[in-house]
Amino acid sequence: MWNQVRKLQKNKTLKYGIPMLLLVVGGSFGLREFTQIRYDAQKIKRKLDPTLEARVNPQKQSVILEEEYEKLKDMDLGGWQNIRGPRPWEDSRETQDQQRSRLNKGT
């Protein structure tokens, strides 16, 4: 009997293979439980405030878009100038002063 136990202890499949297999299969089940907890927590956090939910509701979305269109329709979107910002190696105050002087000369 002790002879058989020693043979089993020397067997590499029993010594390394079965613990590895148990670790992989058991880890799979453990990760499934942990990820399920994660998704359940996200579901709880995702619940929206009723005021925000009304704004996100797709049936009311067209009304909100029409309101935004009315706001934008009254704005003057054609009267703007493209002003270059300073480069990292340039002095920002100097560049801003130059831009302001060009704008004042143009008007």
Side-chain angles (χ1 to χ4, degrees):
M1 176 162 158
W2 292 110
N3 195 16
Q4 288 179 341
V5 172
R6 286 198 180 127
K7 282 185 180 179
L8 290 177
Q9 286 178 343
K10 290 182 180 180
N11 191 347
K12 288 188 178 184
T13 303
L14 291 177
K15 192 173 182 181
Y16 299 111
I18 291 180
M20 181 65 178
L21 188 64
L22 287 174
L23 181 69
V24 170
V25 173
S28 171
F29 286 109
L31 284 175
R32 186 184 68 188
E33 295 301 319
F34 283 119
T35 54
Q36 187 63 39
I37 291 169
R38 175 179 148 201
Y39 292 128
D40 290 342
Q42 284 179 356
K43 214 181 272 186
I44 291 170
K45 286 182 183 178
R46 197 174 293 160
K47 290 184 180 176
L48 290 176
D49 195 28
T51 56
L52 290 174
E53 193 171 346
R55 292 188 67 90
V56 175
N57 193 355
Q59 287 101 10
K60 296 182 181 180
Q61 191 70 25
S62 62
V63 175
I64 294 171
L65 289 175
E66 290 171 1
E67 292 172 3
E68 293 298 320
Y69 174 72
E70 294 298 325
K71 289 178 189 175
L72 288 174
K73 189 166 69 171
D74 298 333
M75 296 176 94
D76 179 29
L77 298 176
W80 63 275
Q81 288 186 345
N82 191 11
I83 299 175
R84 179 179 77 79
R87 302 291 194 262
W89 58 86
E90 296 176 341
D91 183 27
S92 64
R93 286 190 186 263
E94 183 181 324
T95 307
Q96 288 174 357
D97 291 339
Q98 288 174 357
Q99 295 285 342
R100 287 187 187 118
S101 67
R102 282 191 214 138
L103 283 175
N104 290 337
K105 286 180 186 175
T107 56

